[in-house]
């Protein structure tokens, strides 16, 4: 039963085995990437200890992951305090950007009195952020 399930293309050249010529050597199934021949072997030959079941079925692995309790919040009070301070600081920074926009607009229109009051607001808001930063030095 030498017939294949696909018919042969009549325009294709004859196969080497049909012409009686020896079959050329086949290239390896892997692509060499190193000048050292010992590193160009397939992975399963270089590392015979790695099996397809390594990881989930390997008896050498007893515990996976970082351990119990990892990833949970250890100090929820500190986390909530830091989140509140961050939200307050971001609110002040957004206010500073808004105030800077108003101050520059007033300065450009020539109303320097309002611009100076706005500059005072920006300095005061900077001092508020500095005070928030100084509240708890152990969190830095």
């Amino acid at each position: 039963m030498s017939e294949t399930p696909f018919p042969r293309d009549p325009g294709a050249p004859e196969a080497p085995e049909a012409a009686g010529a020896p079959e050329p050597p086949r290239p390896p199934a892997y692509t060499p990437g190193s000048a050292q021949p010992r590193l160009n072997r397939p992975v399963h030959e270089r590392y015979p200890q790695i099996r397809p079941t390594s990881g989930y079925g390997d008896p050498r692995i007893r515990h996976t992951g970082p351990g119990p309790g990892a990833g949970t919040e250890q100090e929820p009070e500190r986390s909530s305090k830091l989140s509140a301070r961050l939200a307050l600081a971001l609110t002040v920074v957004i206010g500073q950007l808004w105030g800077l926009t108003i101050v520059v607009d007033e300065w450009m229109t020539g109303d320097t009195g309002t611009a100076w009051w706005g500059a005072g607001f920006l300095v005061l808001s900077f001092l508020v952020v500095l005070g928030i930063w100084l509240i708890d030095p152990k969190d830095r």
Side-chain angles (χ1 to χ4, degrees):
M1 189 144 199
S2 63
E3 290 186 23
T4 62
F6 301 103
R8 186 179 168 282
D9 183 13
E14 286 193 35
E17 59 270 355
E23 185 176 330
R26 294 183 181 205
Y30 53 90
T31 305
S34 175
Q36 301 177 17
R38 65 182 182 84
L39 296 178
N40 290 333
R41 296 176 295 157
V43 174
H44 62 85
E45 289 180 16
R46 284 184 282 158
Y47 304 104
Q49 71 272 20
I50 298 177
R51 295 183 298 277
T53 58
S54 287
Y56 68 90
D58 197 338
R60 296 173 290 178
I61 298 175
R62 299 191 187 276
H63 302 288
T64 61
T72 59
E73 184 58 53
Q74 303 297 323
E75 296 181 60
E77 295 85 12
R78 180 174 181 265
S79 175
S80 63
K81 183 172 55 171
L82 290 175
S83 297
R85 283 177 29 197
L86 180 66
L88 186 60
L90 287 174
T91 303
V92 171
V93 168
I94 289 171
Q96 284 178 327
L97 291 172
W98 172 77
L100 184 62
T101 304
I102 300 299
V103 166
V104 169
D105 189 39
E106 291 299 318
W107 185 270
M108 293 302 217
T109 59
D111 191 4
T112 56
T114 307
W116 281 113
W117 279 107
F121 167 76
L122 293 175
V123 169
L124 181 65
S125 62
F126 173 76
L127 292 175
V128 168
V129 171
L130 188 62
I132 291 172
W133 182 72
L134 291 173
I135 286 175
D136 202 0
K138 70 177 179 127
D139 280 338
R140 286 184 243 128

